[in-house]
């Protein structure tokens, strides 16, 4: 599919469940990719998001199981709830400096994710100590992890859905800086065989 360069926004569920869609050319005129725009496009193997896009809507690429890589340009400021939820083929994600909003479960159920990195100049999020995770800097909350995440000693909270659906995760050591584990934090981690929860943890959320 080639989208004409007069288009400025890709709307709600525009290509929803188009499983036969294998490639899409998004022009530089587009500034917004709407909610569920490409959700369920399981045949989509790669997508280039142009550096005109400022917003990736909720569920925009959810269920794109054939997607192995995605480059989020430095123009994007917002990634919506579940934007890349259940992208089971996605192996790596880099969050650029421009992103200041990452919605809940943005990368949940991405079971093949091995690398998550935040650019070092990002004012809101970081991947300190090469931890392979997204941490909200001001609150020291780990909001998104993967099978290779090492939770840093400075993290005080593991956010809701942080590791949900991470079936490749086999063990996790939670440092004694952590006081809270959020709802669904390790939900669906079917490969998890050992977990160490320190005395510092005072709250464990539902379905954690």
């Amino acid at each position: 599919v080639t989208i004409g360069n007069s288009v400025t926004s890709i709307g709600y569920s525009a290509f929803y469940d188009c499983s036969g869609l294998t490639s899409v050319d998004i022009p530089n005129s587009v500034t917004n990719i709407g909610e569920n725009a490409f959700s369920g496009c399981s045949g989509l193997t790669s997508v280039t998001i142009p550096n005109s896009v400022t917003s990736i809507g909720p569920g925009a690429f959810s269920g794109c199981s054939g997607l192995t890589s995605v480059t989020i340009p430095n123009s994007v400021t917002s990634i919506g709830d579940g934007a890349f939820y259940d992208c089971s083929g996605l192996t790596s994600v880099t969050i650029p400096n421009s992103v200041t909003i990452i919605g809940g479960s943005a990368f949940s159920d991405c079971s093949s994710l091995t690398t998550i990195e935040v650019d070092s100049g990002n004012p809101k999020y970081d991947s300190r100590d090469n931890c392979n995770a997204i941490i909200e800097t001001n609150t020291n909350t780990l909001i998104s992890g993967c099978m290779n995440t090492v939770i840093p000693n400075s993290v005080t909270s593991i956010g809701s859905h942080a590791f949900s659906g991470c079936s490749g995760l086999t063990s996790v050591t939670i440092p004694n800086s952590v006081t809270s584990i959020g709802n669904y934090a390790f939900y669906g981690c079917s490969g998890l065989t050992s977990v160490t929860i320190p005395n510092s943890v005072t709250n464990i959320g539902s379905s954690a």
Side-chain angles (χ1 to χ4, degrees), residues 33-50:
I33 298 173
E35 183 174 351
N36 293 331
F38 296 96
S39 179
C41 292
S42 55
L44 202 59
T45 55
S46 68
V47 63
T48 301
I49 301 170

Side-chain angles (χ1 to χ4, degrees), residues 5 62 88 150 155 163 200:
N5 58 15
S62 62
S88 56
V150 177
V155 167
F163 292 92
S200 57

Side-chain angles (χ1 to χ4, degrees), residues 22 35 54 68 97-98 102-103 122 136 158 163 169 195 203 205:
T22 56
E35 183 174 351
T54 59
T68 56
N97 294 341
S98 56
I102 299 174
N122 190 294
E136 191 175 53
I158 298 171
F163 292 92
L169 190 68
V195 59
N203 182 63

